[in-house]
Amino acid sequence: MLPVGSCENGTMPELRYDLPVRPRRNRRNAAIRGLMRETELSPAHLILPLFVTGGEDVRIPIGAMPGCFRLSVDHTVALARQAWELGVRALALFPALPDSVKDPRATESLNPNGLLQRTVRALKDALPDLVVITDVAMDPYSSDGHDGYLEDGQIINDVSLEILASMAVSQAQAGADYVAPSDMMDGRVGVLREALDEEGFTNTGILAYSAKYASSFYGPFREALDSAPRSGDKKTYQMDPANRREALREVLLDVAEGADIVMVKPAMPYLDVVAEVSAHVDVPVAAYQVSGEFAMIKAASQNGWLSEEAAVDESLIAIRRAGADMILTYFAMDYARRYRG
Ligand code: PBG
């Protein structure tokens, strides 16, 4: 770098150094930046998670998730129509159930007329091509608030698998396009695939929560579903936030067992994991911007500490850039509303 100008007479020459490489040339205006953009995010990449509740015309706000509600089936269908019109064509459903129907074996999850099953049917009747994704885990239905079956303080893997497989079949019967095991039991993807195929649901896909971490960022979600574990924590099945190599092990097992899509969760604190996973698999990769990530952006922007729209756009494009093909986000409709091709 040679200095080619001087400031001796008080004028500042525009060119002071002979820099042959100036990356700023490619950022001069919005049109140029548009040409250079490496990552795109459209509403077609987004999946909206929704909390459903019983009754009719019910809309219960969720304290730690401003703008999110537990919705009765009628409101869920209405919102799904709006989402569809905005280009968000996939939903992930989570049922919020009263304690009175919860038990240790999550029996309610198999009820063909249960809340989730009724919601799936209503959605598919209203919008046949809507991609309906259902969660396979015991926690919304379990009096213990765990994702697997609890006995004497232990989560029993293989008993859980039987329950989860029946749950997945029940969801497929209701019309789910993808069942999404979020339970982190060993071997669940293979067991689910076999159970679905045996019942003839060869077209029902499996979106596996493959690298799901034992994260503090699920707090608001557990409030929304009142699904926090009644005892202990989830660290014997969800992953240690310190581990990256282990994520690959989990993901590769799920792919071998037949997962159609693998997922990393949460998203932003685990972008290195998203990148690692997407570099190593040949199936699509999803990432879940979870309730705590949503709540952080909301809270900071409500305080005037962040610009919500800019923070949402940046967080979502960062998740895509890291390697996610699709993103579950509570901001899906907000993003879609202001999306301009
Ligand atoms: C549980 C489940 C959780 C989430 C999705 N499925 C919470 C948990 O594992 O305790 C969290 C999603 C979010 O925080 O947005 N099966």
Side-chain angles (χ1 to χ4, degrees):
M1 280 192 299
L2 301 174
V4 293
S6 92
C7 295
E8 268 164 36
N9 57 8
T11 60
M12 184 73 83
E14 202 181 308
L15 191 64
R16 296 192 61 195
Y17 294 97
D18 177 18
L19 298 182
V21 180
R22 291 180 181 266
R24 288 184 56 200
R25 275 196 284 268
N26 284 347
R27 299 181 207 129
R28 277 171 49 229
N29 64 35
I32 291 176
R33 290 192 294 275
L35 293 172
M36 306 303 149
R37 188 155 299 135
E38 298 175 36
T39 312
E40 295 290 347
L41 173 66
S42 89
H45 300 121
L46 300 178
I47 299 168
L48 175 67
L50 285 182
F51 303 108
V52 293
T53 191
E56 225 179 292
D57 195 17
V58 181
R59 243 172 134 248
I60 306 167
I62 299 163
M65 301 180 71
C68 294
F69 298 83
R70 298 180 186 186
L71 299 175
S72 50
V73 179
D74 50 328
H75 280 292
T76 304
V77 171
L79 193 69
R81 283 190 201 281
Q82 278 181 38
W84 179 268
E85 272 154 33
L86 289 168
V88 175
R89 291 172 299 192
L91 298 185
L93 299 177
F94 299 96
L97 296 165
D99 279 349
S100 55
V101 303
K102 298 184 183 181
D103 67 18
R105 298 186 79 97
T107 314
E108 177 63 14
S109 65
L110 309 182
N111 178 355
N113 285 315
L115 173 63
L116 181 80
Q117 287 82 348
R118 282 187 284 119
T119 310
V120 172
R121 282 197 296 269
L123 285 167
K124 295 300 285 188
D125 279 350
L127 297 159
D129 287 342
L130 180 76
V131 182
V132 175
I133 302 167
T134 50
D135 196 65
V136 179
M138 289 173 63
D139 54 331
Y141 314 92
S142 157
S143 44
D144 297 305
H146 276 286
D147 295 18
Y149 176 69
L150 185 75
E151 204 174 81
D152 300 330
Q154 307 267 347
I155 301 293
I156 315 294
N157 196 84
D158 297 19
V159 176
S160 308
L161 290 181
E162 271 173 54
I163 298 170
L164 295 165
S166 312
M167 193 185 301
V169 168
S170 173
Q171 296 173 353
Q173 276 163 346
D177 295 288
Y178 287 85
V179 294
S182 68
D183 55 285
M184 289 300 279
M185 295 301 118
D186 292 338
R188 75 258 161 84
V189 172
V191 168
L192 259 57
R193 186 68 274 158
E194 204 180 303
L196 290 168
D197 289 351
E198 257 172 33
E199 297 296 324
F201 295 107
T202 50
N203 280 336
T204 308
I206 298 180
L207 189 175
Y209 285 68
S210 302
K212 176 173 177 181
Y213 286 87
S215 171
S216 59
F217 292 100
Y218 308 149
F221 175 98
R222 292 179 188 170
E223 178 203 321
L225 292 193
D226 187 22
S227 65
R230 308 296 188 246
S231 63
D233 55 40
K234 299 192 174 184
K235 291 180 183 170
T236 69
Y237 45 106
Q238 299 181 348
M239 285 179 51
D240 183 341
N243 296 352
R244 181 164 62 177
R245 195 171 46 211
E246 191 185 6
L248 216 46
R249 185 176 192 220
E250 286 284 4
V251 161
L252 294 176
L253 276 170
D254 285 357
V255 172
E257 290 174 27
D260 298 284
I261 305 167
V262 294
M263 179 146 74
V264 175
K265 173 185 175 190
M268 261 225 303
Y270 296 88
L271 291 185
D272 58 327
V273 179
V274 174
E276 183 95 354
V277 166
S278 77
H280 282 91
V281 297
D282 54 7
V283 295
V285 176
Y288 197 147
Q289 182 178 54
V290 300
S291 58
E293 298 177 73
F294 173 87
M296 284 197 297
I297 292 178
K298 274 283 176 194
S301 41
Q302 287 186 344
N303 268 300
W305 298 337
L306 274 181
S307 148
E308 179 173 324
E309 292 186 358
V312 169
D313 291 359
E314 185 177 338
S315 65
L316 294 176
I317 204 75
I319 296 165
R320 276 278 287 168
R321 186 201 64 231
D325 298 287
M326 63 199 90
I327 306 174
L328 283 87
T329 174
Y330 302 95
F331 290 117
M333 287 178 68
D334 295 345
Y335 183 85
R337 244 178 232 115
R338 56 175 189 276
Y339 179 74
R340 301 269 174 278

